[in-house]
């Protein structure tokens, strides 16, 4: 029987960028890079070589400095080394979401304990960017304009449906981001993927706008994680 790791690695290695997006929206597909293929194989082999169902934690779509570089959700090259014990030669990147998520991982007991119970992923699996004059590409969310949302909606449904087969505890899913919740609930109402959805404020929002309250947010995250695995 294929393990969670086997299914996840095969899935990420098969990803192709959509071709139907508006002309100013770009897609980053790191899974075509040999270094990232090796990281993805090592990460999933290390933490997911079993058939234990995980609680899914679903973000929006990857940022260009996190999974857009490493192929691992909410994970920068430096956090991959520091917290996951996976050495790599990728350039360190700034990523607020990854900084907060790995404080959560650490507070939960470390990467081994965290990933034994949870799968970090996103509604759309590839990083999106928008071209801007003078400053280069910036992070973009699939819901930031209607044309992009509509173009990606079938792929979003396919992403979640396919990833459920990795090994999912469908009793509950954790949604990251209040606006993201609107789209996950719309999807779930039609598809019935999860029995229940619990929503937390997005890590980027916390560090960008609520950094002084970060200890309280961290405590809330940990309480929710424990509640969802009881």
């Amino acid at each position: 029987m294929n393990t969670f790791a086997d299914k996840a690695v095969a899935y990420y290695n098969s990803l192709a960028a959509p071709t139907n997006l508006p002309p100013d929206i770009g897609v980053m597909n790191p899974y075509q890079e040999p270094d990232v293929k090796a990281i993805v194989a090592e990460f999933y082999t290390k933490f997911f070589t079993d058939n234990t169902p995980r609680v899914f934690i679903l973000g929006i779509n990857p940022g260009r400095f996190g999974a857009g570089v490493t192929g691992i959700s909410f994970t920068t090259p430096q956090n991959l080394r520091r917290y996951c014990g996976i050495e790599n030669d990728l350039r360190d990147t700034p990523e607020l979401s990854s900084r907060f998520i790995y404080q959560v991982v650490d507070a939960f007991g470390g990467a081994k304990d965290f990933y034994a119970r949870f799968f970090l992923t996103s509604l759309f699996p590839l990083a999106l960017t928008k071209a801007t004059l003078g400053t280069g590409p910036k992070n973009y969310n699939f819901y930031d304009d209607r044309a992009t949302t509509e173009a990606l909606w079938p792929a979003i449904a396919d992403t979640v449906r396919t990833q459920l087969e990795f090994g999912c505890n469908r009793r509950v899913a954790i949604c990251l981001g209040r606006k993201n919740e609107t789209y996950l609930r719309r999807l779930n109402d039609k598809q019935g993927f999860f029995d229940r959805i619990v929503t937390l404020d997005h890590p980027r929002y916390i560090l960008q706008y609520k950094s002084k309250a970060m200890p309280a947010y961290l405590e809330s995250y940990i309480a929710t994680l424990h509640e969802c695995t009881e």
Side-chain angles (χ1 to χ4, degrees), residues 14-225:
S14 73
L15 286 177
T19 58
N20 62 336
L21 292 174
D24 58 342
I25 305 301
V27 182
M28 298 174 66
N29 185 1
Y31 303 102
Q32 304 303 309
E33 302 295 328
D35 287 352
V36 174
K37 285 179 180 288
I39 286 169
V40 169
E42 184 175 353
F43 176 85
Y44 284 100
T45 299
K46 183 171 185 175
F47 296 114
F48 292 86
T49 302
D50 55 53
N51 295 108
T52 303
R54 266 71 170 183
V55 172
F56 279 33
I57 303 175
L58 297 118
I60 306 161
N61 47 260
R64 72 190 194 280
F65 293 135
V69 174
T70 64
I72 306 300
S73 291
F74 292 96
T75 305
T76 56
Q78 61 269 35
N79 285 341
L80 200 58
R81 298 183 208 107
R82 178 178 177 183
Y83 294 98
C84 301
I86 295 178
E87 293 301 319
N88 63 85
D89 295 323
L90 300 175
R91 179 178 58 86
D92 289 355
T93 55
E95 175 62 74
L96 290 177
S97 295
S98 183
R99 192 194 314 169
F100 181 81
I101 283 293
Y102 275 92
Q103 290 187 49
V104 173
V105 169
D106 199 37
F108 192 80
K112 183 177 180 181
D113 287 344
F114 179 85
Y115 288 117
R117 294 166 176 81
F118 301 100
F119 172 50
L120 280 172
T121 185
S122 300
L123 292 189
F124 183 69
L126 298 175
L128 301 174
T129 62
K130 183 179 176 66
T132 56
L133 289 175
T135 59
K138 66 176 184 178
N139 280 332
Y140 204 67
N141 299 319
F142 74 79
Y143 55 57
D144 282 344
D145 75 86
R146 180 175 294 181
T148 298
T149 305
E150 291 178 354
L152 292 179
W153 196 247
I156 287 169
D158 286 345
T159 292
V160 179
R161 183 182 300 108
T162 301
Q163 292 187 353
L164 292 179
E165 300 303 317
F166 298 175
C168 178
N169 179 344
R170 296 175 65 158
R171 292 186 303 105
V172 62
I174 299 172
C175 177
L176 300 184
R178 303 293 171 180
K179 190 169 182 179
N180 195 35
E181 177 186 16
T182 301
Y183 294 89
L184 178 55
R185 289 196 182 277
R186 181 190 301 174
L187 184 69
N188 200 55
D189 286 346
K190 184 172 184 178
Q191 303 290 345
F193 289 146
F194 307 104
D195 295 343
R196 184 167 65 99
I197 294 169
V198 176
T199 301
L200 294 166
D201 284 318
H202 197 280
R204 184 173 61 248
Y205 166 80
I206 294 169
L207 285 193
Q208 191 167 352
Y209 300 107
K210 301 288 185 179
S211 59
K212 290 182 179 178
M214 193 173 67
Y217 279 104
L218 183 59
E219 186 175 320
S220 175
Y221 260 68
I222 295 300
T224 299
L225 296 182

Side-chain angles (χ1 to χ4, degrees), residues 4-14 37 40-41 44-45 166:
F4 192 116
D6 294 329
K7 297 170 188 175
V9 171
Y11 170 77
Y12 287 114
N13 284 343
S14 73
K37 285 179 180 288
V40 169
Y44 284 100
T45 299
F166 298 175

